[in-house]
């Protein structure tokens, strides 16, 4: 049973602050183990990657079998049923259409002085995509990471996935092919991150690494940051639902549990202005938990991190929502636009009673890689922008240099940078 | 004297790879010292900040004197001469105009199925700006960091600067005021980063921290990443100049030295197709070094990291430039557009013989905070985008849910997520 808070209670602020401060992740200290693996792969290349794969995944590979080959893609293709394949294709197409709109536009213009300024966007040449193995090996995540990279124009999208005991999820292979992944290697953990960052004889290096992973993968990404770019380090998933009393309690309970089933560290929060509705949702959650395949996980998440918050008016939920800065925010009311307008911090917003967050996980078209752990206060979900970079362009002719040069010289001198001043002055015969 | 490479030499590729791999930064291991400071400030707040300021900056402060007050801003204002102030205002106005064009535009649309999708951009509420003390305390950097934050709409721009022995650069105060900085605290080092990230009694926390700093500041930024957002970790500055033989060797030498004077670890590289010109530039560098106030620094940088590369045709400089991915790239030829079109990896490009990079440092209008150490392969210079975040918006009505729901259910089932499937199915009476 989740905790229940009431905004009218005198101790509400203290309890809400405690909720905000809840640490849901156990941070394992794996830094030194990871450092050793990175150094080893950097020094020994393929040989080290193969050694670690044998040790951690119980799998004997050779440089020739590191890469997943055409025959395996074909076998995977045959193993996937038509209904699932059609769903993957629908998802891929919708993600692609939506992300096409995110492509940034170059800008080049001449200002009033005659100075030419510009910004030119180019795709990153090579990107690595980490996909976890085992039960967290989601084909939808392959699409959500790889499709925006290809839309951006990345030349080489290189995917890595651990295959413990040689087992690989055929859906992941099919999704990789549908998304346009260019190379796929069966290697995981810190050794995979090292191979992507530094390159080996078989795996050419990439310039940026994205995708979720366990503590080792996260630590490895942090450590190679600088050598390559990385995306955000994702934490456990979370949802905040703002709902009035006119919702079906079973619908809202189902949405809370859809987050909770991800992980015992996931977090589901309901804010409502209707105490009877809150009680009905709590009862529906308990009822539904009994028939969920992942009921044990969901129950633990709901018990340890779930919360139901009562407010007198849903408008007063907005400041709380903005402080929580949830990864996912559902607004389940008849007229959601006024509440929507007041949200400043959220990864993604699902508007109205008929938009369960799960639609966004798969087929809405928007990205499901979103900022967790309150980081929507300062960061955004994955998009095409994560796979491009901007080069600024500046051009002054002799006339513009005469106009701007003296100010540049003044500032260079004020900063004590004589060669800076000279580089301008010499062109102006000063 | 810088090294000289010739692309026609048989050992060129090996020597160029060595140049690419040159490590210019000594990485000090300050992680554990920084970890202790962060924990202490987190636990003791102001008291810890004051203790470290006393120890490292030899400055006794109280919570009341931590913040720079109105009287000090006014005194600084009086201390700055009119020429420098006018130059700062020109720079501020040009940076502002250019960055106004970077503000991203919201997108909201309805697709063919009737699904409503959108992206809404909002400013980060509070941002911290670190400014180094001493000789690296540049007013131009205050403008380059703070102006884009205010253009983005950040409510609170909080600046911190160490003031060893109480000395503060009046130009930095004037620049802060001109840029619209909201709060300024005289504290530096890891303790300042901790105060910004966790907050103290006096300094309210921010959500993102930007700005350059020494090894302690960089390590502290890495460690608080996640709690807050951070910008890139900047390395030593660098320039690559592509120049034909028709340039004045003294102009190009001055540009090479403008980078070199920053830091003994800075790097200046010239690529030309004219051996006699290369020799003339080398001679001009040696000549100019003799009369530079920061000649010793510039000489060390040029000797240790400078390079002159001969190619048979400047078009063949492009693949080398893209591998170097320089922070700054000058294209000093009569018709620069064809070369410009071939550049994929660079932080900023300065086009034509009359655009010394220094114009971009101060008054061009584009940002001078740019990716170093080859990171232009995967990242961009500072812009308004660094101070905003995107929330995605999705809305399906009952009809769209009927159209998309079955595919979502199929994927949820394929991923073994029963509560995900139920959250959609329950709304479709499935």
């Amino acid at each position: 049973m989740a905790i229940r808070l009431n905004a009218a209670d005198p101790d509400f602020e203290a309890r809400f602050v405690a909720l905000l401060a809840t640490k849901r992740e156990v941070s394992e200290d794996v830094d030194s183990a990871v450092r050793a693996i990175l150094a080893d792969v950097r020094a020994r290349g393929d040989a080290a990657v193969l050694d670690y794969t044998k040790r951690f995944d119980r799998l004997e590979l050779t440089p020739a079998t590191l890469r997943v080959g055409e025959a395996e893609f074909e076998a995977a293709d045959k193993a996937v049923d038509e209904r699932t394949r059609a769903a993957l294709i629908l998802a891929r197409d919708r993600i692609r259409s939506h992300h096409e709109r995110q492509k940034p536009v170059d800008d080049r213009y001449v200002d009033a002085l005659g100075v030419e300024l510009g910004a030119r966007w180019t795709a990153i040449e090579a990107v690595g995509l980490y996909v976890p193995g085992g039960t967290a090996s989601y084909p939808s995540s392959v699409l959500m990471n790889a499709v925006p990279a290809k839309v951006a124009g990345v030349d080489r999208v290189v995917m890595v996935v651990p295959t413990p005991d040689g087992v690989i999820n055929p859906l992941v292979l099919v999704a990789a092919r549908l998304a346009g992944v260019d190379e796929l290697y069966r290697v995981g953990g810190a050794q995979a991150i090292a191979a992507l960052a530094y390159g080996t004889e078989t795996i050419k290096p990439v310039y940026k690494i994205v995708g979720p992973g366990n503590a080792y993968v996260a630590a490895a990404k942090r450590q190679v940051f600088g050598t390559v770019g990385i995306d955000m380090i994702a934490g456990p998933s979370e949802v905040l639902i703002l709902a009035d009393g006119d919702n079906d309690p079973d619908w809202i309970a189902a949405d809370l549990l859809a987050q909770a089933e991800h992980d015992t560290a996931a977090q589901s929060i309901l804010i409502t202005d209707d105490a009877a509705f809150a009680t009905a949702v709590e009862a529906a959650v308990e009822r539904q938990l009994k028939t969920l395949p992942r009921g044990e996980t969901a129950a633990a998440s709901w018990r340890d991190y779930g919360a139901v918050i009562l407010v007198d008016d849903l408008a007063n939920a907005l400041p709380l929502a903005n402080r929580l800065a949830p990864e996912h925010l559902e607004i389940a009311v008849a007229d959601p636009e006024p509440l929507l307008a007041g949200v400043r911090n959220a990864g993604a917003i699902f508007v109205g009673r008929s938009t369960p967050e799960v639609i966004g996980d798969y087929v809405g078209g928007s990205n499901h890689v979103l900022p967790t752990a309150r980081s929507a206060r300062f960061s955004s979900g994955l998009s095409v922008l994560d796979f491009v970079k901007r080069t600024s362009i500046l051009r002054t002719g002799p006339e513009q240099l005469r106009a701007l040069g003296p100010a540049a010289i003044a500032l260079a001198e004020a900063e004590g940078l004589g060669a800076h001043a000279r580089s301008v002055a010499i062109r102006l015969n000063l």
Side-chain angles (χ1 to χ4, degrees), chain A:
Chain A
M1 185 75 160
I3 58 163
R4 174 84 84 99
L5 308 183
N6 187 326
D9 286 346
D11 65 348
F12 174 74
E13 176 63 19
R15 294 186 69 193
F16 187 73
V17 167
L19 182 69
L20 285 178
T22 309
K23 215 168 147 46
R24 289 183 284 136
E25 272 188 297
V26 190
S27 51
E28 290 176 69
D29 189 8
V30 298
D31 274 354
S32 58
V34 164
R35 204 174 303 276
I37 294 171
L38 296 184
D40 194 21
V41 172
R42 194 171 192 176
R44 295 198 299 130
D46 278 349
V49 169
L50 298 177
D51 283 354
Y52 290 113
T53 302
K54 184 174 172 189
R55 193 196 314 173
F56 297 130
D57 293 340
R58 300 161 301 280
L59 187 62
E60 293 237 32
L61 296 174
T62 66
T65 58
L66 255 180
R67 183 163 174 179
V68 174
E70 196 50 40
E72 287 163 284
F73 279 108
E74 281 167 23
D77 219 44
K78 293 204 181 76
V80 171
D81 65 274
E82 267 319 305
R83 174 176 172 250
T84 310
R85 179 200 320 283
L88 283 172
I89 290 172
L90 175 71
R92 189 266 319 260
D93 292 347
R94 290 190 58 84
I95 295 165
R96 190 189 280 159
S97 305
H98 178 65
H99 286 73
E100 285 284 354
R101 297 176 72 100
Q102 295 173 345
K103 287 169 90 165
V105 179
D106 291 353
D107 186 24
R108 207 155 164 203
Y109 66 100
V110 177
D111 73 10
L113 273 183
V115 178
E116 196 175 331
L117 294 111
R120 186 167 68 191
W121 294 91
T122 45
I124 299 173
E125 290 173 41
V127 166
L129 163 55
Y130 192 92
V131 175
T135 55
S137 192
Y138 294 135
S140 58
S141 293
V142 173
L143 298 181
M144 292 290 178
N145 282 278
V147 171
K150 293 311 281 188
V151 168
V154 172
D155 302 306
R156 268 179 79 226
V157 174
V158 183
M159 185 170 134
V160 292
V161 58
T163 59
D165 302 307
V167 178
I168 191 163
N169 180 350
L171 283 168
V172 162
L173 263 57
V174 170
R177 187 49 65 92
L178 286 174
V181 166
D182 297 285
E183 301 165 28
L184 174 50
Y185 299 95
R186 61 187 110 230
V187 50
Q191 59 274 22
I193 300 300
L196 289 170
Y198 305 124
T200 70
E201 300 89 328
T202 302
I203 304 177
K204 273 174 54 186
V206 301
Y207 297 163
K208 183 165 185 170
I209 301 174
V210 302
N214 64 17
Y216 288 83
V217 172
K221 280 169 68 180
R222 278 179 193 271
Q223 289 184 25
V224 298
F225 174 52
T227 301
V228 297
I230 62 167
D231 62 349
M232 67 190 102
I233 307 285
S237 197
E238 63 217 19
V239 71
L240 170 63
I241 304 180
L242 309 188
D244 62 22
D246 293 338
N247 285 282
D248 184 330
D250 267 313
W251 292 17
I252 300 302
D255 296 357
L256 293 167
L257 290 173
Q259 285 306 308
E261 78 171 335
H262 268 296
D263 187 344
T264 54
Q267 182 166 52
S268 302
I269 301 178
L270 166 67
I271 305 185
T272 181
D273 56 357
D274 185 324
F277 176 73
T279 304
V281 170
E282 286 163 347
V285 164
E286 299 305 323
R287 217 163 43 235
Q288 291 185 25
L289 272 173
K290 294 190 182 117
T291 60
L292 267 191
R294 295 169 65 97
E296 227 168 293
T297 300
S301 154
W302 181 243
R303 179 192 66 223
D304 294 340
Y305 302 114
V308 176
I309 301 175
L310 263 179
V311 291
D312 58 350
D313 186 314
L314 280 180
N316 294 329
L318 287 175
L320 306 180
N322 284 326
R323 289 168 73 187
L324 282 162
E327 181 189 14
H328 304 107
L329 174 66
E330 286 188 15
I331 305 181
V333 299
D335 178 21
E337 290 295 328
L339 287 175
L340 176 59
V343 178
R344 181 153 180 180
N345 300 326
I349 307 177
F350 305 86
V351 183
R353 304 191 203 284
S354 294
T355 317
E357 180 274 328
V358 169
I359 288 293
D361 284 342
Y362 295 116
V363 291
S366 48
N367 209 290
H368 81 196
V369 181
L370 295 164
T372 59
R374 306 183 63 214
S375 64
R377 291 171 299 156
F378 53 79
S379 63
S380 310
L382 195 74
S383 79
V384 167
L385 291 177
D386 291 291
F387 300 105
V388 295
K389 65 260 178 0
R390 204 187 59 256
T391 298
S392 67
I393 296 172
L394 187 67
R395 181 173 194 162
T396 49
E399 194 183 329
Q400 291 77 42
L401 196 62
R402 271 193 302 277
L404 293 177
I409 293 170
L411 291 173
E413 287 173 352
E415 293 185 350
L417 296 173
H420 280 60
R422 181 187 283 167
S423 151
V424 176
I426 201 170
R427 286 173 167 85
L428 299 175
N429 292 313
L430 294 177

